[in-house]
Amino acid sequence: MPLARRLTLGDAVAIGLGSMIGAGVFAVWAPAMGVAGSGILIALAIAAVVAFCNATSSAQLAAVHPVAGGTYAYARAEIGPWWGFIAGWSFVIGKIASCAAMAMTFAAYAAPEGWQIPVAVVAVAALATVNCFGVTRTALLTRILVACSLLGLAVTVAVGFGSASAASPPPLPDASAYGVLQGAGLLFFAFAGYARIATMGEEVVDPARTIPRAIVLALGGAVVVYALVGLAVILVLGADAASSTAPLADLLVAAGWPALAPLIRVAAAAASLGALLALLTGIGRTTLAMARESDVPRFLAKVDERHQVPQRAEIVIAAIVIVIVLVADLRDAIGFSSFGVLLYYLIANAAAFRQTGAARRYPRVLQVVGALGCLVLVNSLPVIASLVGTAVVVLGVGYRMLRLHLAGRRLGS
């Protein structure tokens, strides 16, 4: 059964913004500043350029292939089933790590000490339940959460710039080229939310027109928000941001507005929930597409007849995320997520590069820059994230090889 086309341009932009804003503004500054130092804004610019190139590739592909699954489906159509599988597998494992990171971020801001893990688990279960009752409910809740987080960020930026002249924070350490690239790789984690729009191509109204516009609008809005927030953090906290678990709340305290700190905690919780909701939705659709091709168990390919959503995939993904929340660390989850997502977009750029004729919307140089950027950033990530990511990708490839081998034996018998 096909999915229903119910998402408008506004819905798609909200889902993309909800993923990007929640994914990084409240979670990524400390690790990124810790490695990039005074080059944090350069790292942000590099991440934004690579993200823009990848976004144009995703938009170009989505306009021609408006189906669920994102680059999994695009790469299968443009360069072959194996490339599609690697893209889909990389997306699923990377974004499952992102879900765990967002659940933990939400709990860090919203739950008292000692209750973070149970609250994170409940958040995952609750949002998976929302997703199981229809995509329009997902879009509506995402709009509400994005509005709450943007309000909190606007207050924080205003306070930060207003207090910048009186602040005298410790300066950020000097930047190194490797540190800036590693910071860009971690910050890329924050920009990857526009993929959610493409993975939901089967549910967007007039996808050939809506998806490219939504991707560019959502990414542009996120870049502006990140630049303003990052600059405010630098001006008020400086090097102290690298060791902060809640840098935006600490910014308000350092600026002399401690009474507003609870507001930013509410905004952070809302943004993290918005990101988690959109992430669970996107992973469910990619898993659905992979199950339809038997690249993951076909049991997950069923679409609920009443609500027209892949409920089985949503439930299984939520269960895996809950397990990761119980055993994982936030910073490791961010690095592992970036590894999977960068591989995903490397393949997206390769698939878009092969398109010709009327399918081309952007010059090939953007796909070349995007692919090279992905390669550079993935090789600059923390070593442990790259090693674990490589091992999980190899595990997925081994699974598919075994499945194809067994299928071939059955046909030959």
Side-chain angles (χ1 to χ4, degrees):
M1 174 184 293
L3 300 173
R5 296 197 182 278
R6 295 173 175 170
L7 298 179
T8 64
L9 175 63
D11 293 330
V13 171
I15 288 172
L17 276 175
S19 302
M20 287 183 276
I21 291 174
V25 160
F26 301 100
V28 81
W29 291 114
M33 286 186 176
V35 294
S38 59
I40 185 65
L41 293 181
I42 299 174
L44 180 65
I46 293 171
V49 168
V50 175
F52 174 75
C53 293
N54 296 341
T56 57
S57 292
S58 295
Q60 180 174 292
L61 289 162
V64 178
H65 305 286
V67 296
T71 298
Y72 169 73
Y74 311 153
R76 282 184 64 89
E78 298 290 344
I79 53 180
W82 265 110
W83 289 107
F85 173 81
I86 294 172
W89 185 254
S90 296
F91 178 86
V92 169
I93 64 174
K95 289 307 177 181
I96 284 176
S98 293
C99 285
M102 287 303 97
M104 288 185 277
T105 300
F106 165 73
Y109 279 97
E113 191 69 31
W115 285 87
Q116 284 90 346
I117 291 179
V119 169
V121 168
V122 170
V124 174
L127 293 187
T129 301
V130 171
N131 278 344
C132 286
F133 284 96
V135 72
T136 52
R137 290 173 176 81
T138 298
L140 175 61
L141 182 53
T142 301
R143 282 175 182 262
I144 295 170
L145 294 173
V146 168
C148 291
S149 59
L150 286 176
L151 176 62
L153 290 173
V155 171
T156 303
V157 169
V159 170
F161 280 100
S163 306
S165 59
S168 55
L172 290 167
D174 292 338
S176 67
Y178 179 74
V180 169
L181 289 175
Q182 190 173 122
L186 293 172
L187 284 165
F188 183 83
F189 158 83
F191 284 123
Y194 53 81
R196 230 70 64 248
I197 303 169
T199 58
M200 300 177 72
E202 200 170 313
E203 295 162 278
V204 174
V205 177
D206 190 12
R209 182 168 180 266
T210 300
I211 293 176
R213 293 175 64 197
I215 288 174
V216 174
L217 287 172
L219 178 60
V223 169
V224 171
V225 171
Y226 274 87
L228 291 174
V229 173
L231 189 55
V233 170
I234 292 170
L235 291 174
V236 177
L237 293 182
D240 290 341
S243 59
S244 173
T245 57
L248 301 191
D250 290 344
L251 181 156
L252 293 172
V253 173
W257 291 82
L260 292 178
L263 171 65
I264 201 61
R265 289 189 175 276
V266 171
S272 300
L273 283 180
L276 177 58
L277 181 64
L279 284 164
L280 288 170
T281 304
I283 299 169
R285 272 58 181 178
T286 299
T287 302
L288 169 68
M290 296 181 74
R292 285 170 171 171
E293 302 293 340
S294 297
D295 279 336
V296 296
R298 288 193 64 85
F299 166 82
L300 302 175
K302 182 176 175 57
V303 175
D304 180 75
E305 293 185 5
R306 179 180 177 185
H307 300 291
Q308 295 184 294
V309 294
Q311 285 188 352
R312 290 180 180 176
E314 296 278 2
I315 293 169
V316 169
I317 293 300
I320 295 172
V321 173
I322 288 172
V323 171
I324 295 174
V325 166
L326 294 174
V327 300
D329 173 80
L330 176 61
R331 296 191 184 208
D332 290 342
I334 290 175
F336 181 70
S337 173
S338 293
F339 179 88
V341 174
L342 284 164
L343 285 185
Y344 174 85
Y345 283 115
L346 173 63
I347 296 172
N349 282 304
F353 186 85
R354 289 176 60 92
Q355 290 183 296
T356 59
R360 296 212 59 80
R361 290 171 174 256
Y362 305 97
R364 278 192 167 90
V365 67
L366 291 178
Q367 287 112 55
V368 173
V369 172
L372 291 176
C374 289
L375 284 172
V376 170
L377 295 185
V378 81
N379 282 289
S380 71
L381 290 171
V383 174
I384 187 64
S386 297
L387 289 176
V388 174
T390 300
V392 176
V393 170
V394 170
L395 181 66
V397 170
Y399 163 79
R400 189 171 193 267
M401 291 177 66
L402 178 62
R403 182 185 67 78
L404 292 175
H405 175 71
L406 293 176
R409 289 185 60 181
R410 284 195 297 270
L411 289 174
S413 61

